[in-house]
Amino acid sequence: MNSAETPPKPEPALVREKAHDNPPATPGCLLPEPLQAAGIVIFGASGDLAWRKLVPALFNLYDSGHLPDQFFILGVSRTNWDDREFRGQMQDAVTRHCDTQSGKCSDFLSHLYYHRLEYDQPEDYKALATLLKHLGQKTGAKDNLLFNLALPPSLPPVVSRKLAQAGLSQPGPNHQGWIRVVVEKPFGHDLESSRYLNQTMAQAFSEDQIFRVDHYLAKETVQNIIMFRFANAIFEPIWNRNFVDKVVIIASEKLGVGHRAGYYEGTGVLRDMFQNHMLQLLSLTAMEPPSMWAADRVRDEKTKVFRSLRPFTSQAVDQHLLLGQYGAGKEIKGYRQESGVAQTSLTPTFAMLKVYVDNWRWQGVPFYLVSGKRMAQKVTRMVIFFRQVPHSMFRQVLGQDITQNRLFLNIHPEEAISLSFQTKGPGPVLCLRTVRMVFDYAVDPSGLSLGAYEKALLDCMQGEQMLFWRQDGVELCWSFLEPVLNRCESCGDRASRLHTYTPGSWGPEEVKTILPDWPEPAL
């Protein structure tokens, strides 16, 4: 073999599964039967969420054959459009995802309709009920309805009441068909508002009709955490305080608040990320194995984790929480320079929170939750740090410290699971090097990978609540965080607690007072 034919050397610090080493996905990974005919009603159809996420996700399901043969999509909002204008608005959202020559774009758009509605006007809901009955008969979608409330937080209680008054919250007298409602986060602004939202919706819908969507839970690699933990016998015996030193969960954003500044100014990172996404990722990492693969059994175990979170005292908040706000950088606005943000704003855009799960499995193991905007990278991952080796036989030649074994559960940018461990470095001198063994979702082309919104919408239409919040979990998370929020938002030294950090960094330098080696081991 000449030099031109010499194969490239493999990456020295990476052991990677090859696609042909993995068996293809089983037929059971696909839907066993077509979905029932249904009508999908999007409240807030003129908003950004419908245009950017919901309608493109519905088109992707249509394009992949995962929508029922008989369906309609009805957009509802206060904007004065008709069917033609609504289809024109959604055309741009759809054509980004399809081949315009295939005809699928125009076929999909023909299933879209529109209804103008004032959210607090009962007469508009009566007209909506008449239109839904007509569309159900016209399209064959019958009485199955999915209401998606893509609305500001103040409106779902209003819409729920009006739907009930118009007879649109429950199936008909013969219980033919189903009716379900999707609520987007945030689920309230605090514990009191969360309970009000639930009480209002419970007057119109039963709990099994309500789907509280957190798109983080619908990501493929988030779903895989449960499979990874409980379908492999080699990990569960070491998934506890005897072998785990600490856990770091990070969800960082490279971008700033952008067009969400108005919303974010009244919310901040703790309400925006910790009450929902971060605590859900923690529950998946820390939960006990459910007795069976069923939605309420899984959610029961996650709820047990929320109940086991160690309550915060005032002193604990001071010691275990660090807040930051991004300042200005080169050609980058600081948070206080963003449109819609007060120049004296004390809203945090970064937080690190150290929490403990007080149960038999995790007693004494710290969980570090980290989230922020304008950071060095967009990263979402959970890192499990295993304990140091108890005795180093190499200390005379290598010193006392050997890098801990780490398990990386990566959600973004790579969708992968990797395990780091120590091996001998090549050469005549004794030295260690850290290598990773990796499973990458992108390596195996078999099966259909759905985006988070596609998966969430598909589960709603199937009535599968596995990936959705249950109200008791929502309230437990608010109860856990409220002492933290009260301490941060009502104390007299708020300004001194808020540390400025440079855009493109990993947060304030003061973070090292909580986690001294941040961020290196978690990367």
Side-chain angles (χ1 to χ4, degrees):
M1 181 182 291
N2 59 42
S3 59
E5 296 172 322
T6 302
K9 292 182 179 181
E11 183 178 344
L14 185 65
V15 180
R16 185 175 292 276
E17 286 276 1
K18 301 299 182 184
H20 55 72
D21 293 333
N22 298 318
T26 61
C29 292
L30 304 177
L31 288 179
E33 57 187 32
L35 291 173
Q36 296 179 18
I40 301 160
V41 184
I42 302 176
F43 281 83
S46 60
D48 185 62
L49 179 61
W51 190 86
R52 286 193 307 113
K53 297 292 186 180
L54 296 179
V55 173
L58 288 167
F59 171 76
N60 289 338
L61 289 174
Y62 175 78
D63 189 38
S64 60
H66 283 83
L67 281 186
D69 294 332
Q70 297 168 304
F71 76 97
F72 66 85
I73 299 169
L74 177 65
V76 175
S77 77
R78 291 177 290 209
T79 304
N80 191 23
W81 288 337
D82 56 21
D83 292 349
R84 180 183 59 80
E85 290 170 312
F86 179 57
R87 290 169 183 171
Q89 292 292 327
M90 294 302 113
Q91 184 173 1
D92 290 341
V94 170
T95 52
R96 293 176 294 147
H97 299 264
C98 76
D99 177 6
T100 54
Q101 303 301 317
S102 69
K104 280 198 171 183
C105 286
S106 57
D107 290 345
F108 173 77
L109 290 170
S110 69
H111 291 268
L112 269 61
Y113 301 88
Y114 186 78
H115 177 70
R116 185 184 179 280
L117 176 145
E118 293 292 337
Y119 296 120
D120 59 349
Q121 294 300 314
E123 293 301 319
D124 290 358
Y125 287 84
K126 292 180 181 178
L128 173 63
T130 301
L131 176 59
L132 289 174
K133 188 174 182 61
H134 168 71
L135 290 175
Q137 294 172 346
K138 174 182 176 181
T139 64
K142 302 179 181 178
D143 298 321
N144 297 328
L145 291 172
L146 178 67
F147 295 111
N148 195 306
L149 308 187
L151 296 165
S154 62
L155 287 177
V158 176
V159 173
S160 298
R161 282 195 300 267
K162 299 304 180 186
L163 286 173
Q165 291 169 5
L168 288 171
S169 66
Q170 297 295 327
N174 297 324
H175 296 285
Q176 295 179 346
W178 47 258
I179 294 176
R180 299 173 187 137
V181 60
V182 183
V183 188
E184 299 276 346
K185 82 163 187 78
F187 312 117
H189 186 74
D190 52 22
L191 179 59
E192 181 181 359
S193 60
S194 171
R195 285 175 172 165
Y196 171 74
L197 171 63
N198 180 59
Q199 291 166 1
T200 305
M201 296 196 69
Q203 293 171 3
F205 302 95
S206 60
E207 180 65 23
D208 63 355
Q209 290 180 282
I210 302 172
F211 289 73
R212 301 174 185 86
V213 64
D214 183 339
H215 66 273
Y216 260 53
L217 297 181
K219 294 177 183 290
E220 288 275 6
T221 39
V222 173
Q223 299 172 59
N224 192 54
I225 296 170
I226 298 179
M227 302 297 179
F228 176 81
R229 287 189 56 195
F230 301 130
N232 297 290
I234 61 174
F235 295 108
E236 184 58 21
I238 60 172
W239 207 269
N240 55 60
R241 60 187 169 83
N242 296 319
F243 294 92
V244 176
D245 178 52
K246 63 175 178 271
V247 177
V248 175
I249 301 176
I250 176 174
S252 62
E253 295 279 349
K254 194 169 184 179
L255 298 176
V257 292
H259 66 278
R260 298 178 70 225
Y263 159 78
Y264 201 88
E265 179 70 349
T267 304
V269 67
L270 290 172
R271 284 189 168 88
D272 187 49
M273 291 294 294
F274 281 69
Q275 187 276 333
N276 38 73
H277 301 327
M278 304 304 290
L279 288 178
Q280 278 286 358
L281 295 179
L282 183 150
S283 70
L284 290 170
T285 309
M287 65 184 279
E288 297 294 327
S291 59
M292 64 183 295
W293 182 250
D296 272 337
R297 300 293 178 90
V298 171
R299 296 193 292 181
D300 284 345
E301 297 303 330
K302 291 162 72 174
T303 298
K304 290 178 185 177
V305 174
F306 300 143
R307 292 187 190 279
S308 300
L309 291 169
R310 183 181 298 177
F312 278 103
T313 63
S314 296
Q315 184 179 7
V317 173
D318 295 340
Q319 294 175 348
H320 296 166
L321 173 69
L322 191 133
L323 300 174
Q325 185 186 87
Y326 64 85
K330 185 178 180 181
E331 299 181 357
I332 296 178
K333 292 180 180 179
Y335 177 73
R336 294 177 181 179
Q337 285 79 54
E338 300 278 11
S339 176
V341 175
Q343 294 183 357
T344 57
S345 173
L346 298 177
T347 300
T349 61
F350 170 93
M352 175 181 283
L353 185 63
K354 180 181 180 181
V355 304
Y356 289 92
V357 180
D358 282 341
N359 61 17
W360 189 278
R361 181 186 290 264
W362 295 112
Q363 187 63 42
V365 177
F367 287 74
Y368 297 89
L369 311 183
V370 186
S371 185
K373 294 189 175 295
R374 285 288 184 208
M375 296 180 70
Q377 298 175 30
K378 180 177 172 59
V379 173
T380 307
R381 68 165 56 111
M382 289 142 283
V383 188
I384 290 84
F385 291 77
F386 294 99
R387 293 192 180 277
Q388 294 279 7
V389 291
H391 170 70
S392 175
M393 57 185 282
F394 306 108
R395 62 184 176 275
Q396 292 178 331
V397 289
L398 297 175
Q400 294 289 344
D401 295 329
I402 295 178
T403 303
Q404 293 170 281
N405 299 132
R406 289 165 289 164
L407 181 67
F408 297 82
L409 304 174
N410 297 297
I411 299 170
H412 189 89
E414 70 273 25
E415 294 187 326
I417 296 172
S418 63
L419 177 67
S420 74
F421 53 92
Q422 303 304 309
T423 65
K424 179 186 178 299
V429 179
L430 182 62
C431 59
L432 293 179
R433 63 170 178 167
T434 301
V435 298
R436 287 193 191 184
M437 184 164 56
V438 180
F439 163 70
D440 192 334
Y441 261 82
V443 169
D444 186 356
S446 61
L448 175 67
S449 180
L450 295 176
Y453 277 91
E454 286 90 330
K455 173 62 175 169
L457 287 165
L458 193 59
D459 280 0
C460 291
M461 286 185 279
Q462 295 181 94
E464 173 55 70
Q465 292 191 311
M466 181 78 70
L467 304 178
F468 297 84
W469 281 85
R470 201 169 61 188
Q471 181 61 21
D472 56 352
V474 174
E475 292 189 10
L476 285 167
C477 289
W478 276 123
S479 297
F480 170 70
L481 275 179
E482 276 213 331
V484 181
L485 293 166
N486 292 338
R487 180 71 173 160
C488 296
E489 296 174 352
S490 62
C491 63
D493 58 346
R494 286 183 63 190
S496 63
R497 291 172 176 271
L498 194 65
H499 304 277
T500 303
Y501 62 97
T502 304
S505 69
W506 284 107
E509 283 297 315
E510 291 82 357
V511 166
K512 296 182 184 297
T513 61
I514 298 178
L515 187 58
D517 50 8
W518 172 259
E520 288 80 7
L523 301 179

